[in-house]
Amino acid sequence: MPELVLSESSAIEAVPAARWNALVDDDHPFLRHEFLHALEASGAASPATGWVPRHLTLWQGEALVGILPHYHKLHSYGEYVFDWSWAEAWERVGGDYYPKGLSAIPFTPAPGPRLALAPHVDSLAARRLLARAWEAGDLSSWHLLFAESDEVAAWREARPDLLARRGVQFQWQDGGYGDFEGFLAALTAKRRKTIRRERRLVAEQGLTLHRLEGEAIDAAAMAHFFRCYEITYLERGRHGYLGLDFFERLRRTLPESLLLIQARLEGQPVAAALCLQGTRTLYGRYWGSEVAADCLHFEACYYQGIEHCLARGLTLFDPGTQGEHKLARGFAPRRLTSLHHIADARLRDGVARFCAEERRHVEAYVDAAEAALPFRRD
């Protein structure tokens, strides 16, 4: 068997798409070549925006046997695991925190695989070889965000010096409900009544919901969605990270992974939520509305997604980051772990203390969140 060779690419298009995708699990559209290429080709993840692609690949002879998205970051925007305080502390004592190394999917806080290996590759050897990429240069640190638990464990075996930071998201899982009424039956009577009232309020405002998949999402539907998406950001005084070109590229190159939920008033679309889907999981990602309507966000971003999962046999619904309001709608807390290599021992010691203290607070929060879930105890 040829030895493993590490290579670095300054653009995802430098790696053949078919070879890259051959290593990607069908449940994770964000790791696909098309998704990462859309980010780079649209300019969303580019040196001009502070995302410098340095994708890492492993080869045995002519065979591509490992892939890891990797960026040199000039800031910490678009990551959703916030290390601004680390950067500020290090720069206050004269250090340079940026550039740093980052293995994550830009602007996408969705748990999933980050390193994908061919089945025969030695996992331990592969990870130790990859680590040379961020140890050999002038990077202050390397960060692995939103990886799955098995991958986190494998990295910590290969590199025990990696610091672990705990986080939490809320996700819905199918408990064998059958349909939406079966899901409601698993909730307390109070929550069933509230959810039915919320859905009824949407209908009473004259709004209808429509789920479009794949080729049914045409250019006009995507353009309307983008207007709604931009409204969400403009309300906060800025434009979104992602442009229409990015979403159009997804529509053309990954149609089978897209689900567009439209809200219509008198037959015309007025709000939209764009999701991606794999073979087991629905990922709710982007949302916006041209109208102010009671409970429309809950309907479009949560209840329609749950119905879609139950109709399509998807067992997990990841609706996106943040939001304790998800708890009351059946989304349970899920512990997440990010990993961090800090080159300088002085900064590393401070970050380690920070992570240990933060973890205690996160664990207490998860315990409280689990106790607040609205499922029947019987």
Side-chain angles (χ1 to χ4, degrees), residues 44-103:
S46 67
T49 61
W51 294 80
V52 183
R54 289 291 186 269
H55 302 303
L56 303 177
T57 53
L58 296 173
W59 300 78
Q60 286 183 324
E62 297 297 315
L64 178 63
V65 297
I67 57 172
L68 179 68
H70 185 239
Y71 302 86
H72 289 186
K73 282 297 302 297
L74 309 182
H75 52 65
S76 294
Y77 291 108
E79 299 175 16
Y80 302 93
V81 176
F82 303 109
D83 61 350
W84 293 104
S85 61
W86 305 357
E88 180 184 358
W90 190 232
E91 291 169 359
R92 198 163 50 234
V93 297
D96 292 322
Y97 193 73
Y98 305 107
K100 65 177 184 177
L102 178 74
S103 288

Side-chain angles (χ1 to χ4, degrees), residues 157-181:
E157 179 185 4
R159 293 298 304 263
D161 62 309
L162 291 174
L163 300 176
R165 184 179 185 184
R166 183 71 88 197
V168 62
Q169 284 187 351
F170 299 95
Q171 299 182 349
W172 176 91
Q173 284 190 293
D174 185 6
Y177 303 126
D179 56 19
F180 198 86
E181 281 300 312

